[in-house]
Amino acid sequence: RIRGAHRMARSRLGRVLRRLDALTDWERGSRAGMAAAVTAQPCADLLSVLGEPQRRFRHVHVAGSKGKGSTCALLGCALERGGWRTAVLSSPHVESLTERVRIDGQPIGEAPLADALEAALDARAAAAACGSRASSA
């Protein structure tokens, strides 16, 4: 069992994570009956509902099968030394879910992570209520 998981399960973040877990798990769930083409459009629609937060800052997207963690660590260190603020979203975590989001090299706190996840889940629920494709993000 992950250290701190028991305490987190009773926290506000734990409640938000249970809400998130109730959604479809695309990694573990069956893909039978899924549409032939999966697109990024539901995510784009959800970002629109959230007010396009990705347009408020410059970013680097690191992708690939090997070396993402090292590349992000190197880029983060270089950017921070250059006076830039940094944020890194990574997976998986080692000890705590909050490790997945690092701001200026430090793990995010439980409350800000819960706030961000709750805002995204609320936006998704609002999108579902009006029939937007964002409801399947």
Side-chain angles (χ1 to χ4, degrees), residues 37-52:
V38 176
T39 71
Q41 195 58 51
C43 259
D45 289 352
L46 182 58
L47 289 168
S48 178
V49 170
L50 288 166
E52 304 288 347

Side-chain angles (χ1 to χ4, degrees), residues 59-128:
H59 55 276
V60 176
H61 184 152
V62 179
S65 60
K66 301 275 190 251
K68 294 179 296 295
S70 299
T71 300
C72 287
L74 180 65
L75 279 171
C77 185
L79 290 168
E80 287 168 24
R81 285 191 176 222
W84 292 87
R85 296 209 61 209
T86 63
V88 174
L89 173 63
S90 64
S91 179
H93 60 274
V94 176
E95 291 186 22
S96 170
L97 182 70
T98 59
E99 294 170 27
R100 291 186 181 200
V101 181
R102 298 179 84 70
I103 308 293
D104 296 327
Q106 299 300 311
I108 193 170
E110 285 189 18
L113 181 57
D115 290 344
L117 289 172
E118 200 162 47
L121 287 166
D122 289 348
R124 183 185 184 279

Side-chain angles (χ1 to χ4, degrees), residues 30-36:
S30 169
R31 294 184 184 230
M34 203 164 99

